[in-house]
Amino acid sequence: NAGVTQTPKFRVLKTGQSMTLLCAQDMNHEYMYWYRQDPGMGLRLIHYSVGEGTTAKGEVPDGYNVSRLKKQNFLLGLESAAPSQTSVYFCASSSPGPWNTEAFFGQGTRLTVV
Amino acid sequence: AQSVAQPEDQVNVAEGNPLTVKCTYSVSGNPYLFWYVQYPNRGLQFLLKYITGDNLVKGSYGFEAEFNKSQTSFHLKKPSALVSDSALYFCALYGNNRLAFGKGNQVVVIP
């Protein structure tokens, strides 16, 4: 009964380093999303995917890349981390909406870039 | 462009009193509206949604929301707040294959 699992849960990066955040879902959902949460800003959509092999830009895509090679996984990459990317990152998945769009969220990844 | 607005940063309410968290929306077509709750150090959890039908929607944990088309609002309500309701509440609007969230409202229920 895992739902949406994010790896890792915490990470500290130095400016310029790269990393990949992994999101895995076991609900056979078509749609997957990456959001970042910052104080007073709510959740902002970085990238999303409406199916295996597809990706699309959200509100704040700059500095991030994504891949959806398998339906159950959605990877978020930071090629050259910057302090402005310090945030809490959430992955979510859902069926195609709006009727079935109850999105399920992971527990979050707290990323600090120093 | 579609968007939601949550005009208050924080809502303070005494335990046992009614709780209201406000949300207004802007969309060109039919609104598909959602409420989520986030407890500390956790992901968001679905509370309820309005797609069509009755303007009063009932959801989890005793919460309900009232859809008002003329006022473009979708306020979250609970008749009697509990201390355990203290959390961050997000309104969201679905469109173009994605959910757009408001900035969130911190709810503090005072014992």
Side-chain angles (χ1 to χ4, degrees):
Chain A
N1 197 21
V4 178
T5 303
Q6 292 182 230
T7 310
K9 291 183 171 48
F10 303 94
R11 186 73 185 268
V12 178
L13 283 181
K14 293 182 179 179
T15 298
Q17 286 185 321
S18 64
M19 78 164 294
T20 300
L21 281 67
L22 171 63
C23 177
Q25 54 97 2
D26 61 3
M27 295 169 284
N28 202 35
H29 284 159
E30 290 293 333
Y31 289 13
M32 296 187 75
Y33 314 83
W34 276 108
Y35 291 90
R36 59 177 290 174
Q37 183 179 21
D38 302 291
M41 305 288 287
L43 271 75
R44 293 181 291 170
L45 183 64
I46 305 171
H47 286 280
Y48 64 103
S49 167
V50 299
E52 181 178 315
T54 74
T55 62
K57 294 180 180 180
E59 298 175 71
V60 289
D62 294 342
Y64 305 95
N65 57 75
V66 287
S67 64
R68 183 102 181 265
L69 298 179
K70 294 182 178 180
K71 186 177 183 179
Q72 63 268 32
N73 296 336
F74 195 30
L75 278 63
L76 177 70
L78 286 72
E79 291 186 346
S80 180
S84 61
Q85 294 177 304
T86 293
S87 186
V88 181
Y89 292 85
F90 286 99
C91 176
S93 71
S94 74
S95 296
W99 299 93
N100 298 313
T101 313
E102 176 186 338
F104 292 82
F105 282 78
Q107 299 258 36
T109 297
R110 187 173 295 274
L111 175 66
T112 302
V113 183
V114 298
Chain B
Q2 60 185 46
S3 64
V4 291
Q6 295 181 246
E8 300 163 318
D9 290 332
Q10 182 164 313
V11 175
N12 296 326
V13 61
E15 187 177 24
N17 281 4
L19 169 64
T20 299
V21 188
K22 296 180 180 178
C23 173
T24 59
Y25 67 90
S26 174
V27 67
S28 57
N30 292 322
Y32 304 116
L33 296 155
F34 300 77
W35 277 101
Y36 285 80
V37 61
Q38 184 182 31
Y39 298 101
N41 300 313
R42 303 293 299 273
L44 276 69
Q45 298 176 31
F46 171 80
L47 277 179
L48 50 79
K49 66 183 176 185
Y50 172 83
I51 304 298
T52 188
D54 290 341
N55 290 340
L56 187 64
V57 179
K58 294 190 182 297
S60 307
Y61 313 121
F63 283 94
E64 58 189 27
E66 185 172 8
F67 172 72
N68 188 317
K69 189 172 184 178
S70 63
Q71 296 185 4
T72 61
S73 67
F74 188 54
H75 300 332
L76 181 70
K77 300 181 180 182
K78 187 171 184 180
S80 177
L82 301 172
V83 172
S84 57
D85 294 328
S86 297
L88 191 55
Y89 290 81
F90 289 95
C91 183
L93 177 65
Y94 179 84
N96 296 325
N97 297 322
R98 69 189 85 173
L99 277 170
F101 286 87
K103 65 178 174 62
N105 281 124
Q106 184 67 49
V107 169
V108 178
V109 182
I110 303 162

Short mmCIF file of all heavy atoms in Angstrom, two decimals, chain A residues 31 33 35 37 40-43 45 48 50 57-58 90 97-103 105-107 110, chain B residues 32 34 36 38 41-46 49 51-52 88 90 94 96-104:
data_model
loop_
_atom_site.label_atom_id
_atom_site.label_comp_id
_atom_site.label_asym_id
_atom_site.label_seq_id
_atom_site.Cartn_x
_atom_site.Cartn_y
_atom_site.Cartn_z
N TYR A 31 -1.08 10.23 -15.04
CA TYR A 31 -0.53 11.57 -14.85
C TYR A 31 0.41 11.60 -13.65
O TYR A 31 0.10 11.04 -12.59
CB TYR A 31 -1.64 12.59 -14.60
CG TYR A 31 -2.51 12.92 -15.80
CD1 TYR A 31 -2.49 12.17 -16.95
CD2 TYR A 31 -3.37 14.01 -15.74
CE1 TYR A 31 -3.30 12.48 -18.03
CE2 TYR A 31 -4.18 14.34 -16.81
CZ TYR A 31 -4.15 13.57 -17.96
OH TYR A 31 -4.95 13.89 -19.02
N TYR A 33 3.25 14.50 -11.57
CA TYR A 33 3.57 15.91 -11.44
C TYR A 33 4.75 16.10 -10.47
O TYR A 33 4.92 15.33 -9.54
CB TYR A 33 2.39 16.69 -10.83
CG TYR A 33 1.03 16.40 -11.39
CD1 TYR A 33 0.29 15.32 -10.94
CD2 TYR A 33 0.47 17.23 -12.36
CE1 TYR A 33 -0.97 15.05 -11.44
CE2 TYR A 33 -0.80 16.97 -12.86
CZ TYR A 33 -1.52 15.88 -12.39
OH TYR A 33 -2.77 15.63 -12.90
N TYR A 35 6.04 19.29 -8.06
CA TYR A 35 5.78 20.62 -7.51
C TYR A 35 6.92 21.00 -6.57
O TYR A 35 7.57 20.15 -5.99
CB TYR A 35 4.49 20.66 -6.69
CG TYR A 35 3.21 20.50 -7.46
CD1 TYR A 35 2.66 19.24 -7.69
CD2 TYR A 35 2.52 21.61 -7.94
CE1 TYR A 35 1.48 19.09 -8.38
CE2 TYR A 35 1.33 21.46 -8.63
CZ TYR A 35 0.82 20.20 -8.84
OH TYR A 35 -0.36 20.06 -9.53
N GLN A 37 7.40 23.54 -3.09
CA GLN A 37 6.66 24.29 -2.09
C GLN A 37 7.60 25.22 -1.37
O GLN A 37 8.60 24.79 -0.76
CB GLN A 37 5.98 23.37 -1.08
CG GLN A 37 5.14 24.11 -0.06
CD GLN A 37 4.43 23.20 0.92
OE1 GLN A 37 4.83 22.05 1.13
NE2 GLN A 37 3.36 23.68 1.52
N GLY A 40 4.80 30.88 1.71
CA GLY A 40 4.04 31.99 1.14
C GLY A 40 3.78 31.89 -0.36
O GLY A 40 3.13 32.76 -0.93
N MET A 41 4.30 30.83 -0.99
CA MET A 41 4.14 30.69 -2.44
C MET A 41 3.22 29.54 -2.82
O MET A 41 2.88 29.35 -3.99
CB MET A 41 5.51 30.45 -3.10
CG MET A 41 6.54 31.50 -2.79
SD MET A 41 6.21 33.05 -3.61
CE MET A 41 6.63 32.63 -5.29
N GLY A 42 2.82 28.75 -1.86
CA GLY A 42 1.99 27.60 -2.18
C GLY A 42 2.78 26.55 -2.94
O GLY A 42 4.01 26.45 -2.80
N LEU A 43 2.08 25.76 -3.72
CA LEU A 43 2.73 24.74 -4.57
C LEU A 43 2.79 25.26 -5.99
O LEU A 43 1.76 25.68 -6.55
CB LEU A 43 1.95 23.43 -4.54
CG LEU A 43 2.32 22.45 -3.44
CD1 LEU A 43 1.78 22.91 -2.12
CD2 LEU A 43 1.82 21.06 -3.77
N LEU A 45 3.91 24.30 -9.94
CA LEU A 45 4.16 23.16 -10.80
C LEU A 45 5.44 23.35 -11.60
O LEU A 45 5.61 24.36 -12.29
CB LEU A 45 2.97 22.97 -11.75
CG LEU A 45 3.01 21.78 -12.68
CD1 LEU A 45 2.98 20.47 -11.88
CD2 LEU A 45 1.84 21.83 -13.66
N TYR A 48 5.24 18.23 -15.62
CA TYR A 48 4.28 17.17 -15.44
C TYR A 48 4.32 16.23 -16.64
O TYR A 48 4.95 16.54 -17.67
CB TYR A 48 2.87 17.72 -15.20
CG TYR A 48 2.26 18.49 -16.35
CD1 TYR A 48 1.31 17.90 -17.17
CD2 TYR A 48 2.64 19.80 -16.60
CE1 TYR A 48 0.73 18.60 -18.21
CE2 TYR A 48 2.08 20.50 -17.64
CZ TYR A 48 1.12 19.91 -18.45
OH TYR A 48 0.57 20.61 -19.49
N VAL A 50 1.68 13.38 -18.83
CA VAL A 50 0.34 12.80 -19.01
C VAL A 50 0.40 11.35 -19.47
O VAL A 50 -0.63 10.76 -19.81
CB VAL A 50 -0.54 13.64 -19.94
CG1 VAL A 50 -0.74 15.04 -19.37
CG2 VAL A 50 0.06 13.71 -21.34
N LYS A 57 6.13 21.31 -19.60
CA LYS A 57 6.57 22.32 -18.64
C LYS A 57 5.39 22.86 -17.84
O LYS A 57 4.29 23.03 -18.37
CB LYS A 57 7.26 23.47 -19.37
CG LYS A 57 8.55 23.08 -20.05
CD LYS A 57 9.18 24.27 -20.76
CE LYS A 57 10.49 23.86 -21.43
NZ LYS A 57 11.12 25.00 -22.13
N GLY A 58 5.67 23.16 -16.57
CA GLY A 58 4.69 23.80 -15.72
C GLY A 58 5.00 25.28 -15.58
O GLY A 58 5.48 25.92 -16.50
N PHE A 90 7.56 18.04 -4.06
CA PHE A 90 6.53 17.03 -3.94
C PHE A 90 6.22 16.45 -5.31
O PHE A 90 6.08 17.16 -6.30
CB PHE A 90 5.24 17.61 -3.36
CG PHE A 90 5.32 17.89 -1.89
CD1 PHE A 90 5.57 19.17 -1.43
CD2 PHE A 90 5.15 16.87 -0.97
CE1 PHE A 90 5.65 19.43 -0.08
CE2 PHE A 90 5.23 17.12 0.38
CZ PHE A 90 5.48 18.41 0.83
N GLY A 97 -8.14 13.66 -15.49
CA GLY A 97 -9.24 14.34 -14.85
C GLY A 97 -10.26 14.86 -15.79
O GLY A 97 -10.19 14.61 -16.98
N PRO A 98 -11.22 15.66 -15.26
CA PRO A 98 -11.27 16.06 -13.86
C PRO A 98 -12.01 15.10 -12.95
O PRO A 98 -11.87 15.16 -11.74
CB PRO A 98 -12.01 17.39 -13.92
CG PRO A 98 -12.96 17.22 -15.05
CD PRO A 98 -12.24 16.37 -16.07
N TRP A 99 -12.78 14.17 -13.52
CA TRP A 99 -13.63 13.33 -12.67
C TRP A 99 -12.81 12.47 -11.72
O TRP A 99 -13.25 12.19 -10.61
CB TRP A 99 -14.50 12.44 -13.55
CG TRP A 99 -15.39 13.23 -14.42
CD1 TRP A 99 -15.15 13.63 -15.69
CD2 TRP A 99 -16.65 13.78 -14.08
NE1 TRP A 99 -16.19 14.39 -16.17
CE2 TRP A 99 -17.13 14.49 -15.20
CE3 TRP A 99 -17.44 13.73 -12.92
CZ2 TRP A 99 -18.35 15.15 -15.20
CZ3 TRP A 99 -18.66 14.38 -12.93
CH2 TRP A 99 -19.10 15.08 -14.05
N ASN A 100 -11.65 12.04 -12.16
CA ASN A 100 -10.84 11.15 -11.33
C ASN A 100 -9.62 11.84 -10.75
O ASN A 100 -8.70 11.18 -10.30
CB ASN A 100 -10.38 9.95 -12.17
CG ASN A 100 -11.54 9.15 -12.68
OD1 ASN A 100 -12.45 8.84 -11.94
ND2 ASN A 100 -11.52 8.81 -13.96
N THR A 101 -9.61 13.16 -10.78
CA THR A 101 -8.38 13.86 -10.42
C THR A 101 -8.27 14.07 -8.92
O THR A 101 -8.26 15.20 -8.45
CB THR A 101 -8.26 15.20 -11.14
OG1 THR A 101 -8.56 15.00 -12.50
CG2 THR A 101 -6.86 15.74 -11.02
N GLU A 102 -8.23 12.98 -8.18
CA GLU A 102 -7.80 13.05 -6.80
C GLU A 102 -6.32 12.74 -6.83
O GLU A 102 -5.92 11.58 -6.99
CB GLU A 102 -8.54 12.04 -5.94
CG GLU A 102 -8.06 11.99 -4.50
CD GLU A 102 -8.71 10.87 -3.73
OE1 GLU A 102 -9.80 10.42 -4.15
OE2 GLU A 102 -8.14 10.43 -2.72
N ALA A 103 -5.50 13.75 -6.72
CA ALA A 103 -4.06 13.54 -6.81
C ALA A 103 -3.53 12.98 -5.50
O ALA A 103 -3.94 13.40 -4.41
CB ALA A 103 -3.36 14.86 -7.14
N PHE A 105 -0.15 12.38 -3.21
CA PHE A 105 1.15 13.03 -3.04
C PHE A 105 2.13 12.15 -2.28
O PHE A 105 1.74 11.39 -1.38
CB PHE A 105 0.99 14.35 -2.28
CG PHE A 105 0.47 15.47 -3.13
CD1 PHE A 105 -0.87 15.56 -3.45
CD2 PHE A 105 1.34 16.42 -3.62
CE1 PHE A 105 -1.34 16.60 -4.25
CE2 PHE A 105 0.88 17.46 -4.42
CZ PHE A 105 -0.46 17.55 -4.73
N GLY A 106 3.41 12.30 -2.63
CA GLY A 106 4.46 11.72 -1.83
C GLY A 106 4.72 12.54 -0.59
O GLY A 106 4.10 13.58 -0.37
N GLN A 107 5.66 12.07 0.23
CA GLN A 107 5.95 12.72 1.51
C GLN A 107 6.85 13.93 1.37
O GLN A 107 7.01 14.69 2.32
CB GLN A 107 6.61 11.71 2.46
CG GLN A 107 5.75 10.52 2.77
CD GLN A 107 5.11 10.62 4.14
OE1 GLN A 107 4.74 11.69 4.58
NE2 GLN A 107 5.00 9.50 4.81
N ARG A 110 13.11 17.32 1.02
CA ARG A 110 13.61 18.63 1.47
C ARG A 110 15.02 18.80 0.95
O ARG A 110 15.93 18.07 1.36
CB ARG A 110 13.56 18.73 2.99
CG ARG A 110 13.91 20.11 3.52
CD ARG A 110 13.68 20.18 5.03
NE ARG A 110 12.29 20.02 5.37
CZ ARG A 110 11.39 21.00 5.40
NH1 ARG A 110 11.76 22.23 5.09
NH2 ARG A 110 10.15 20.75 5.75
N TYR B 32 -13.41 23.09 -11.94
CA TYR B 32 -13.25 21.82 -11.23
C TYR B 32 -12.36 22.12 -10.04
O TYR B 32 -11.16 22.36 -10.20
CB TYR B 32 -12.63 20.77 -12.14
CG TYR B 32 -13.39 20.57 -13.43
CD1 TYR B 32 -12.82 20.87 -14.65
CD2 TYR B 32 -14.70 20.07 -13.41
CE1 TYR B 32 -13.52 20.70 -15.84
CE2 TYR B 32 -15.40 19.89 -14.59
CZ TYR B 32 -14.81 20.21 -15.80
OH TYR B 32 -15.51 20.04 -16.97
N PHE B 34 -10.94 21.77 -5.88
CA PHE B 34 -10.50 20.78 -4.90
C PHE B 34 -10.00 21.50 -3.64
O PHE B 34 -9.54 22.63 -3.69
CB PHE B 34 -9.34 19.95 -5.46
CG PHE B 34 -9.69 19.18 -6.70
CD1 PHE B 34 -9.76 19.81 -7.93
CD2 PHE B 34 -9.93 17.82 -6.63
CE1 PHE B 34 -10.09 19.10 -9.08
CE2 PHE B 34 -10.25 17.10 -7.78
CZ PHE B 34 -10.33 17.74 -8.99
N TYR B 36 -7.28 20.44 -0.42
CA TYR B 36 -6.31 19.52 0.14
C TYR B 36 -5.85 20.05 1.50
O TYR B 36 -5.87 21.25 1.74
CB TYR B 36 -5.09 19.38 -0.77
CG TYR B 36 -5.34 18.56 -2.01
CD1 TYR B 36 -5.98 19.11 -3.12
CD2 TYR B 36 -4.94 17.22 -2.08
CE1 TYR B 36 -6.21 18.35 -4.25
CE2 TYR B 36 -5.18 16.46 -3.20
CZ TYR B 36 -5.81 17.04 -4.28
OH TYR B 36 -6.04 16.28 -5.40
N GLN B 38 -2.57 19.73 4.43
CA GLN B 38 -1.19 19.28 4.66
C GLN B 38 -0.87 19.40 6.14
O GLN B 38 -0.88 20.51 6.69
CB GLN B 38 -0.20 20.11 3.84
CG GLN B 38 1.23 19.63 3.97
CD GLN B 38 2.20 20.48 3.19
OE1 GLN B 38 2.01 21.68 3.01
NE2 GLN B 38 3.27 19.87 2.70
N ASN B 41 5.23 18.29 7.91
CA ASN B 41 6.19 17.31 7.38
C ASN B 41 5.51 16.16 6.64
O ASN B 41 6.03 15.04 6.62
CB ASN B 41 7.07 16.76 8.51
CG ASN B 41 7.85 17.86 9.20
OD1 ASN B 41 8.46 18.70 8.54
ND2 ASN B 41 7.82 17.89 10.52
N ARG B 42 4.38 16.45 6.05
CA ARG B 42 3.67 15.43 5.28
C ARG B 42 3.32 15.97 3.90
O ARG B 42 3.36 17.18 3.65
CB ARG B 42 2.37 15.02 5.99
CG ARG B 42 2.54 14.51 7.40
CD ARG B 42 3.29 13.17 7.43
NE ARG B 42 2.59 12.12 6.70
CZ ARG B 42 1.66 11.36 7.25
NH1 ARG B 42 1.29 11.53 8.51
NH2 ARG B 42 1.10 10.41 6.54
N GLY B 43 2.95 15.07 3.00
CA GLY B 43 2.42 15.47 1.71
C GLY B 43 0.97 15.92 1.84
O GLY B 43 0.38 15.86 2.91
N LEU B 44 0.41 16.38 0.73
CA LEU B 44 -0.98 16.85 0.75
C LEU B 44 -1.94 15.67 0.70
O LEU B 44 -1.67 14.65 0.05
CB LEU B 44 -1.23 17.75 -0.47
CG LEU B 44 -0.84 19.21 -0.32
CD1 LEU B 44 0.66 19.36 -0.25
CD2 LEU B 44 -1.43 20.03 -1.45
N GLN B 45 -3.07 15.84 1.38
CA GLN B 45 -4.12 14.82 1.37
C GLN B 45 -5.40 15.42 0.83
O GLN B 45 -5.77 16.54 1.19
CB GLN B 45 -4.38 14.30 2.79
CG GLN B 45 -3.20 13.63 3.45
CD GLN B 45 -3.51 13.24 4.87
OE1 GLN B 45 -4.65 12.93 5.20
NE2 GLN B 45 -2.51 13.24 5.72
N PHE B 46 -6.08 14.70 -0.03
CA PHE B 46 -7.34 15.12 -0.63
C PHE B 46 -8.44 15.20 0.42
O PHE B 46 -8.59 14.29 1.25
CB PHE B 46 -7.71 14.12 -1.71
CG PHE B 46 -9.08 14.28 -2.28
CD1 PHE B 46 -9.34 15.23 -3.25
CD2 PHE B 46 -10.11 13.45 -1.87
CE1 PHE B 46 -10.60 15.36 -3.79
CE2 PHE B 46 -11.37 13.57 -2.40
CZ PHE B 46 -11.63 14.52 -3.37
N LYS B 49 -13.95 17.53 -3.47
CA LYS B 49 -13.89 18.17 -4.80
C LYS B 49 -15.29 18.53 -5.26
O LYS B 49 -16.29 17.91 -4.85
CB LYS B 49 -13.23 17.23 -5.81
CG LYS B 49 -14.03 15.96 -6.10
CD LYS B 49 -13.27 15.06 -7.06
CE LYS B 49 -14.01 13.74 -7.28
NZ LYS B 49 -13.22 12.80 -8.14
N ILE B 51 -17.12 18.93 -8.94
CA ILE B 51 -17.04 18.76 -10.39
C ILE B 51 -18.31 19.29 -11.03
O ILE B 51 -18.28 20.09 -11.97
CB ILE B 51 -16.81 17.29 -10.79
CG1 ILE B 51 -15.54 16.75 -10.09
CG2 ILE B 51 -16.70 17.14 -12.30
CD1 ILE B 51 -14.28 17.45 -10.47
N THR B 52 -19.45 18.85 -10.52
CA THR B 52 -20.75 19.31 -11.00
C THR B 52 -21.78 18.87 -9.96
O THR B 52 -21.47 18.13 -9.04
CB THR B 52 -21.07 18.72 -12.38
OG1 THR B 52 -22.25 19.33 -12.89
CG2 THR B 52 -21.30 17.22 -12.31
N LEU B 88 -2.22 23.13 7.21
CA LEU B 88 -2.18 24.04 6.05
C LEU B 88 -3.19 23.53 5.03
O LEU B 88 -3.18 22.35 4.67
CB LEU B 88 -0.77 24.04 5.47
CG LEU B 88 -0.37 25.07 4.43
CD1 LEU B 88 -0.62 26.48 4.94
CD2 LEU B 88 1.10 24.89 4.08
N PHE B 90 -5.07 23.90 1.25
CA PHE B 90 -4.88 24.40 -0.11
C PHE B 90 -6.14 24.20 -0.94
O PHE B 90 -6.72 23.11 -0.96
CB PHE B 90 -3.75 23.64 -0.80
CG PHE B 90 -2.38 23.95 -0.28
CD1 PHE B 90 -1.80 23.14 0.69
CD2 PHE B 90 -1.66 25.03 -0.77
CE1 PHE B 90 -0.52 23.42 1.17
CE2 PHE B 90 -0.39 25.31 -0.29
CZ PHE B 90 0.17 24.51 0.67
N TYR B 94 -8.55 22.48 -11.32
CA TYR B 94 -8.05 21.59 -12.36
C TYR B 94 -8.38 22.14 -13.74
O TYR B 94 -9.50 22.59 -14.00
CB TYR B 94 -8.68 20.21 -12.22
CG TYR B 94 -8.23 19.25 -13.29
CD1 TYR B 94 -7.04 18.55 -13.16
CD2 TYR B 94 -8.98 19.06 -14.45
CE1 TYR B 94 -6.60 17.68 -14.14
CE2 TYR B 94 -8.55 18.19 -15.44
CZ TYR B 94 -7.36 17.51 -15.27
OH TYR B 94 -6.94 16.65 -16.26
N ASN B 96 -6.43 22.01 -18.08
CA ASN B 96 -5.24 21.79 -18.93
C ASN B 96 -4.35 20.69 -18.38
O ASN B 96 -3.12 20.82 -18.37
CB ASN B 96 -4.45 23.08 -19.09
CG ASN B 96 -5.24 24.15 -19.83
OD1 ASN B 96 -6.01 23.86 -20.73
ND2 ASN B 96 -5.06 25.40 -19.41
N ASN B 97 -4.96 19.62 -17.91
CA ASN B 97 -4.24 18.43 -17.43
C ASN B 97 -3.41 18.66 -16.18
O ASN B 97 -2.46 17.90 -15.92
CB ASN B 97 -3.31 17.88 -18.53
CG ASN B 97 -4.08 17.41 -19.76
OD1 ASN B 97 -5.15 16.84 -19.63
ND2 ASN B 97 -3.53 17.67 -20.92
N ARG B 98 -3.74 19.67 -15.39
CA ARG B 98 -2.94 19.91 -14.21
C ARG B 98 -3.78 20.56 -13.12
O ARG B 98 -4.83 21.13 -13.39
CB ARG B 98 -1.77 20.82 -14.53
CG ARG B 98 -2.23 22.24 -14.85
CD ARG B 98 -1.14 23.10 -15.38
NE ARG B 98 -0.97 22.94 -16.81
CZ ARG B 98 -0.17 23.68 -17.55
NH1 ARG B 98 0.58 24.60 -16.99
NH2 ARG B 98 -0.06 23.49 -18.83
N LEU B 99 -3.27 20.46 -11.88
CA LEU B 99 -3.87 21.13 -10.75
C LEU B 99 -3.07 22.39 -10.43
O LEU B 99 -1.85 22.32 -10.25
CB LEU B 99 -3.86 20.22 -9.52
CG LEU B 99 -4.98 19.18 -9.38
CD1 LEU B 99 -4.66 18.22 -8.26
CD2 LEU B 99 -6.31 19.85 -9.14
N ALA B 100 -3.76 23.52 -10.35
CA ALA B 100 -3.13 24.77 -9.94
C ALA B 100 -3.56 25.07 -8.52
O ALA B 100 -4.76 25.12 -8.22
CB ALA B 100 -3.54 25.90 -10.87
N PHE B 101 -2.58 25.27 -7.64
CA PHE B 101 -2.87 25.46 -6.21
C PHE B 101 -2.81 26.92 -5.82
O PHE B 101 -2.04 27.71 -6.38
CB PHE B 101 -1.85 24.68 -5.38
CG PHE B 101 -2.07 23.20 -5.40
CD1 PHE B 101 -1.51 22.42 -6.39
CD2 PHE B 101 -2.82 22.58 -4.42
CE1 PHE B 101 -1.71 21.05 -6.42
CE2 PHE B 101 -3.03 21.22 -4.43
CZ PHE B 101 -2.47 20.45 -5.43
N GLY B 102 -3.61 27.25 -4.79
CA GLY B 102 -3.47 28.53 -4.14
C GLY B 102 -2.26 28.50 -3.22
O GLY B 102 -1.58 27.48 -3.08
N LYS B 103 -1.99 29.63 -2.54
CA LYS B 103 -0.79 29.72 -1.71
C LYS B 103 -0.95 29.04 -0.37
O LYS B 103 0.02 28.85 0.36
CB LYS B 103 -0.37 31.18 -1.53
CG LYS B 103 -1.37 32.02 -0.76
CD LYS B 103 -0.85 33.44 -0.59
CE LYS B 103 -1.88 34.37 0.05
NZ LYS B 103 -2.27 33.95 1.39
N GLY B 104 -2.18 28.67 -0.03
CA GLY B 104 -2.41 27.95 1.22
C GLY B 104 -2.82 28.86 2.36
O GLY B 104 -2.50 30.04 2.39
#
